[in-house]
Amino acid sequence: ARLVVLISGRGRNLDAIIRAIESGLLDARIELVACNRINAEGLRIARLAGLRTAAIDPKAFADRESFDLALGNRIAAAAPDWVVLAGYMRILSSAFVQRFADRLVNIHPSLLPRYKGLDTHARALANGDARHGASVHFVTPDLDAGPLIRQGSIAVDRGDSHETLADRLMQRVEQRLYPAALADLVDGRVVYRQGRVWRDERIQ
Ligand code: GRF
């Protein structure tokens, strides 16, 4: 399968996807890594892996729609089967979401539907949650509200800060969850049709 991966920051999820492809767990190719920040660390990971990158600066565009149109054109040119948001920190216009409808997936660092939006780790701590997790979901125009593909969780430790919780969630959950969820899509175990997720439990 052909993937385009969108990043904004460190690229730890991108790195996990690259490793899953190299290990054979994920039968896919990353055709492009696109980024909304010119100097994002994740671009270095992409380039070291020999991947094509496109860094597009939103400040060069009059508004969200024109930025998303330019970004969408670069993505469409790579003819992706899946557009993978991996730590992409910009709100997507509904025009962009519609353009890649049913092919757009995201990982969100909470057990959705809890804690949509930002600062999920601090909110889980403030609520005294015993467990915290991450969710891979299809992207719809409503933020962090699309149908779930996979979720994973860890126990919250008494001494956790939001930083230690975020790091452990990344290492123990996100970096395993995203490759597994993408493999579900690529291998056809999970299908998204007419706004619903269909699972083929027979294929393990
Ligand atoms: C991850 O926790 C992801 O779930 C969230 O932002 C963080 C980005 O991490 N959307 P990275 O850029 O993949 O290292």
Side-chain angles (χ1 to χ4, degrees), residues 9-14 86-89 107-109 121 170 174:
R10 294 172 58 183
R12 288 161 297 174
N13 277 301
L14 167 66
Y88 185 70
M89 300 308 279
I107 189 164
H108 180 74
H121 319 291
M170 172 58 70
E174 296 192 55

Side-chain angles (χ1 to χ4, degrees), residues 25-103:
L25 180 133
L26 180 55
D27 180 14
R29 265 175 58 90
I30 298 173
E31 302 295 338
L32 176 71
V33 174
C35 184
N36 62 304
R37 289 184 44 234
I38 302 302
N39 54 5
E41 281 175 71
L43 287 171
R44 188 173 170 282
I45 291 173
R47 289 170 182 147
L48 284 174
L51 301 178
R52 181 193 299 253
T53 60
I56 308 177
D57 186 351
K59 290 194 288 294
F61 295 85
D63 54 29
R64 180 181 304 282
E65 278 63 26
S66 54
F67 171 80
D68 277 4
L69 180 61
L71 176 66
N73 290 345
R74 289 298 298 271
I75 293 168
D81 296 301
W82 301 99
V83 180
V84 178
L85 306 179
Y88 185 70
M89 300 308 279
R90 268 177 66 89
I91 301 291
L92 294 169
S93 62
S94 58
F96 182 97
V97 175
Q98 300 307 329
R99 182 175 186 178
F100 298 104
D102 302 358
R103 289 186 286 165

Side-chain angles (χ1 to χ4, degrees), residues 119-191:
D119 302 322
T120 62
H121 319 291
R123 291 156 68 190
L125 281 174
N127 266 22
D129 293 354
R131 297 191 73 78
H132 181 44
S135 306
V136 179
H137 63 96
F138 289 102
V139 174
T140 60
D142 299 330
L143 183 68
D144 299 331
L148 294 173
I149 300 167
R150 279 197 184 216
Q151 293 188 302
S153 70
I154 47 174
V156 177
D157 295 341
R158 219 192 338 276
D160 266 326
S161 67
H162 69 87
E163 289 99 348
T164 60
L165 187 55
D167 283 347
R168 192 161 72 256
L169 187 72
M170 172 58 70
Q171 280 145 33
R172 301 273 296 282
V173 176
E174 296 192 55
Q175 292 193 312
R176 298 172 183 167
L177 189 70
Y178 220 167
L182 292 173
D184 283 341
L185 299 177
V186 168
D187 298 345
R189 282 188 295 276
V190 168
V191 174

